[in-house]
Amino acid sequence: MTVVDLINPATEEVVTTVDLLDESAVDEAVATAHRAQRIWAALSPAARAAGLRDLAAAVDGNRDELAALEVANSGHPIGQARWEAEHVRDVLTFYSASPERLSGKQIPVAGGIDMTFCDPIGVVGIITPWNFPMTIASWGFAPALAAGNAVIVKPAEWTPLTTIRLAEIAEEAGLPPGLLQVVPGRGDVVGEAMLGHPGIGKIVFTGSTRTGRHVMTRAAESVKRITLELGGKSANIVFADSDLEQAAATAPYGVFDNAGQDCCARSRILVQRSVYDRFMELLEPAVAGVRVGDPIDDATEMGPLVSRAHWQKVASYVPDDAPVAFRGTAPEGPGFWFPPTVLTPQPNDRAVVEEIFGPVVTVLPFDDEADAIAIANATEYGLAGSIWTDDLSRALRVSRAVAAGNLSVNSHSSVRYSTPFGGFKQSGLGRELGPDAPLGFTETKNVFIAVGAATPAQSQRGTS
Ligand code: NAD
């Protein structure tokens, strides 16, 4: 076990320490989880639904505490952090309806009756990134619990505090002890142990595409079920026929929310050449208007980057000779501050190709619809995207042509708990959220019951 400091990204002060656990903690957690899962799965569907509603209520009751923890640990602006805690509550409430709706099917076959059951997988492992710790954990644990599983979460090394607290809240809310556990630790220790553990039936992994490929390889050893939510390099396509003022006013929030540390960040703005200059004129004041500052202040829209190491990675995309069009502001002094930055590079520049995961956006011109689609799709990723146009037919054509899992027209919305979320291409595998998510945490069991023909005596008795 190693003890590490957690650093407040806005002040660089130590928030607290956390114990990074080892492989033996995973073994213990899996054994405990199996016991808890048997208790949970034996409850009636209505009792499991009530348990999830109790947890949702407890999260709501602890909203301010969870939000304050995320501000201190991750540097998220307080308004956003409150929304994240409320989102966890809402995800739990949405999936509290599932235990009583996980119906199998009765399928017509010859010679008997055929029916299917949605059996829980057993113990599910969730490995999360540092950018949205509690919301991403809840996208896995809420539907997994709803389907009758126990869950073990390994949070990212830098930001474990809200996830640890959520597991405590689950126990305080009356869920069976050990049903939702958190094992803080390094990816190459605790994460690896989870990938190789025979007692874990499914891994939900959210993180970089590079680690995701490794997770997929390791999962193959035991044919472990997996869901992968990976990186993105999403396009925000602005056509000349759109409401240009609105497109420019909202573009910064499509990429700089959470300081650009968002897998769905629209980090490539593509603008039709005929309105490019006008769009840039409108974008400059919009970028300058993003309020970057103290995360505790309710008016703050963007906080610092999560760590010094991540700051250095983001800064590497903006060298001294970078083609900077303009930049917003950021505080001086301690904290991992990085101003919103707009680049106008060549199409093959690494800032255009690679996921930066910080407040840096590239702007490229395009000529026509076909050109816009080709540029939008010229990436290994396919997570999200936005299309700005007033032409409904064009909106539908381009939405169908862009190879990404979550598109929005004349907005930048990506995540709603009631709609499916996930990536095309190397942005992932499988989908989270939406009405079908609990099915991803079940095995379909098919049972056929032969029904023999009635003997003459049975027929007789039946008719007498
Ligand atoms: P990362 O891949 O470095 O780490 C993610 C998690 O994997 C961490 O908990 C880490 O400890 C763990 N890990 C690392 N090595 C491991 C190993 N060998 N075995 C098992 N686990 C291991 O990613 P990150 O830097 O924490 O997060 C940023 C990335 O996450 C970005 O690429 C971003 O796009 C992506 N992301 C995707 C989504 C989505 O829904 N598609 C959402 C948020 C973030």
Side-chain angles (χ1 to χ4, degrees), residues 127-131 136 154-157 187 191-192 195 205-208 211 214 229-232 263 355 357 383 421:
I127 299 176
T128 57
W130 47 259
N131 63 327
I136 289 176
K154 190 208 89 62
E157 291 86 328
E192 287 288 346
L195 296 179
F205 172 82
T206 306
S208 62
T211 314
H214 174 72
E229 294 287 1
L230 309 177
C263 51
E355 183 183 43
F357 224 54
L383 190 55
F421 174 77

Side-chain angles (χ1 to χ4, degrees), residues 200-202 216-226 443:
I200 295 179
K202 173 164 182 165
M216 199 166 178
T217 308
R218 290 282 336 262
E221 291 165 12
S222 58
V223 196
K224 235 185 243 325
R225 281 83 181 107
I226 49 171
E443 291 285 6

